[in-house]
Amino acid sequence: MIDDSRQARWERRAEFPLAVASLLFLAAYAVRVLAHGLSPAWREACMVVALGAWAAFAVDYAVRWRLSGQRLRFVRTHWLDTVVLVLPLLRPLRIVHVYEAVQRRRARPRLTLHARVMAYAGLAALLIGFAGALTVYDQERGARGATIETFGDAVWWTCATLTTVGYGDVAPVTPVGRLAAVGLMGCGLVLLGAVTGSFSSWLLQVFAREGNEGNADSADSADSKSSAGGKDGARPPGNTPGASSRHDDGA
């Protein structure tokens, strides 16, 4: 059943604009980090776009907090939204909400729904990985003893960190870079768990449905054989082979 509360209506209406704001925030941050020699005017423009996107996130959070009527309980039960408000680059982590919705389903498994979750998790991994690479590169370039000197190094390190491989050939040395590394490790575990958990859930539901259908087919086959046997056993005595000849001999 669709939730038609004021908060649910607001969330449905704000989802697409907030997604656009997330992309604008990420684009503005990427331009500031990657565009070397950017003029002060363009840097200021990127800052305005980033602040505007963050303001949209803050307005959305405030409206949902107001409509919920839960006050401090809203902050505790929506801790992920609170983290995303403080760190807008982590907004793709809202995949957790979609994953929880799939896990609560008890209906017939639908591959399209689970595939959507896995696709969204992959997209979230790309966005978070890109944001993490930007953050680490911005902090590590020019630092003393840094091994991440180019954006390519940052992307390679991000891939190894998100997939929980961790080659160790490059690593952040600055405090902010290491803090970003811890966040990426956590994000990698969350997204990997969402994908594997959703796929495993779908497989288990499919196997269970196939098992139930197999049991039902076996029961139907047994019932059919029982019915056929009952009809053969109820054949009238006069129709039994040899019954007429025995009757005539007796006469």
Side-chain angles (χ1 to χ4, degrees), residues 5 9 20 29 69 76 125 129 132 153 158 173 175 182 189 201 203 214 222 239:
S5 62
R9 292 197 301 269
V20 174
Y29 183 63
R76 292 195 302 268
D153 294 337
T158 300
V173 296
V182 174
L189 293 175
S201 175
L203 284 180
N239 295 332

Side-chain angles (χ1 to χ4, degrees), residues 90 125 128-133 136 157-158 161-164 179-189:
L90 295 180
I128 292 176
F130 182 61
V136 171
W157 170 84
T158 300
T161 303
L162 273 178
T163 55
T164 67
L179 182 62
V182 174
L184 281 177
M185 294 173 193
C187 292
L189 293 175

Side-chain angles (χ1 to χ4, degrees), residues 7-28:
Q7 181 180 351
R9 292 197 301 269
W10 168 265
E11 291 177 352
R12 289 195 295 268
R13 293 173 181 173
E15 189 63 30
F16 181 74
L18 290 177
V20 174
S22 300
L23 294 177
L24 289 176
F25 184 94
L26 186 59

